[in-house]
Amino acid sequence: MSEAVQHRTVLLEEAVDALAVKPGGTYVDATFGRGGHSRLILRQLNEQGRLIALDRDPAAIEAGREIADARLKVIHAAFGSLREVLKAEGVERVEGVLLDLGVSSPQLDEAARGFSFRLDAPLDMRMDTSRGQTAAEWLAQASQQQLAEVIKNYGEERFANAVAKAIVAARAGGAIATTRQLAEIVASAVRTREQGQHPATRSFQAIRIHVNQELAELSLALPQAVDALRPGGRLVAISFHSLEDRIVKRYLRDASR
């Protein structure tokens, strides 16, 4: 069984239903992942329909090659580049855009990607493994103030200052290179935590968001998606935490005025 089949897509029917797919329309799945949403959209398109799928993760692009369908084009790009992608494809307007935000379960489940502290692995955290700074590289050079700001603002971690101080102290003795190292350092600095939540959960989220500039990409993508919609077109966004949710809701509120 392929990874695409094993992976369960979040809010599959609900998200695609919200797009109200028109059989002959052009759609954008801006976060292809393992293609769950794209497959369902394709099933609702006729021969004239078209689907453009984006993902910054090379593993997702590789998974997209499994879908042999002339109506689908999978492109290696972050959704903050939506306008450029559509222009390159000769597309001026689309009927719908779908954004499934945050990290995907295949990224979390593959230990080598470094997103999770469940298994020890190199501290990478990049969604696009072909470019950019790894989490380990950023932790090695960020100031204590930068560390504290990222962990507080993106992780909503009340012990952000203590975590930042612990990271700086630990790296003085050698590089912080693995997920287990970081998780243990954070755990030593977080005095209390919600029941059932690992002490490093918020800090890992914050560092991942920073490394991938997830909120900046989202802020770039939303106006581009709305600009690309035909009259009556739909933008569907799936968000998983308050930071993403706030950006989406504020943008849609302001755009609706």
Side-chain angles (χ1 to χ4, degrees):
M1 183 178 292
S2 71
E3 183 181 34
V5 175
Q6 289 175 318
H7 172 56
R8 292 190 64 184
T9 304
V10 174
L11 295 175
L12 174 59
E13 289 81 8
E14 294 90 341
V16 177
D17 285 350
L19 278 177
V21 175
K22 297 178 181 178
T26 298
Y27 290 85
V28 177
D29 180 352
T31 45
F32 180 78
R34 292 303 180 267
H37 292 117
S38 284
R39 285 179 170 84
L40 185 53
I41 293 169
L42 287 169
R43 286 202 291 272
Q44 298 183 20
L45 293 176
N46 62 25
E47 292 182 0
Q48 285 71 48
R50 184 177 182 188
L51 176 61
I52 299 168
L54 283 62
D55 208 293
R56 59 162 72 177
D57 189 340
I61 303 304
E62 186 65 29
R65 295 194 176 101
E66 296 181 7
I67 304 178
D69 193 316
R71 300 169 300 169
L72 170 69
K73 184 162 186 181
V74 183
I75 298 169
H76 183 206
F79 51 59
S81 304
L82 178 59
R83 184 179 291 115
E84 294 173 32
V85 169
L86 292 179
K87 183 177 180 180
E89 293 300 309
V91 175
E92 293 185 5
R93 290 287 183 267
V94 300
E95 276 69 31
V97 179
L98 173 64
L99 293 164
D100 185 359
L101 305 173
V103 68
S104 70
S105 58
Q107 289 168 333
L108 288 171
D109 293 340
E110 186 181 343
R113 301 297 298 272
F115 286 104
S116 174
F117 43 73
R118 289 178 297 173
L119 296 170
D120 199 22
L123 196 54
D124 192 318
M125 292 195 187
R126 291 173 301 165
M127 291 178 175
D128 186 346
T129 52
S130 69
R131 68 190 73 184
Q133 191 177 48
T134 67
E137 290 167 344
W138 180 70
L139 289 172
Q141 56 83 35
S143 69
Q144 184 170 322
Q145 181 180 349
Q146 289 173 322
L147 290 164
E149 287 175 353
V150 164
I151 293 167
K152 179 181 179 180
N153 294 336
Y154 295 161
E156 299 175 300
E157 172 58 77
R158 57 194 168 121
F159 299 111
N161 289 326
V163 171
K165 185 177 180 180
I167 289 171
V168 171
R171 75 187 185 192
I176 303 170
T178 72
T179 55
R180 184 167 295 159
Q181 280 179 282
L182 178 59
E184 290 174 353
I185 292 164
V186 175
S188 72
V190 175
R191 295 190 294 276
T192 62
R193 177 52 65 229
E194 296 90 337
Q195 186 175 1
Q197 185 180 82
H198 191 285
T201 299
R202 292 179 180 272
S203 295
F204 266 67
Q205 172 188 290
I207 294 167
R208 186 205 84 218
I209 289 172
H210 174 75
V211 165
N212 295 289
Q213 290 295 293
E214 293 174 39
L215 303 184
E217 284 288 329
L218 177 58
S219 295
L220 285 171
L222 288 169
Q224 293 179 43
V226 170
D227 288 347
L229 292 176
R230 297 185 194 279
R234 295 196 176 193
L235 168 63
V236 176
I238 304 171
S239 62
F240 294 93
H241 61 71
S242 59
L243 299 176
E244 296 169 340
D245 198 50
R246 199 173 301 139
I247 291 171
V248 172
K249 286 179 177 176
R250 284 178 178 172
Y251 179 77
L252 294 180
R253 179 196 64 198
D254 294 343
S256 69
R257 291 174 178 168

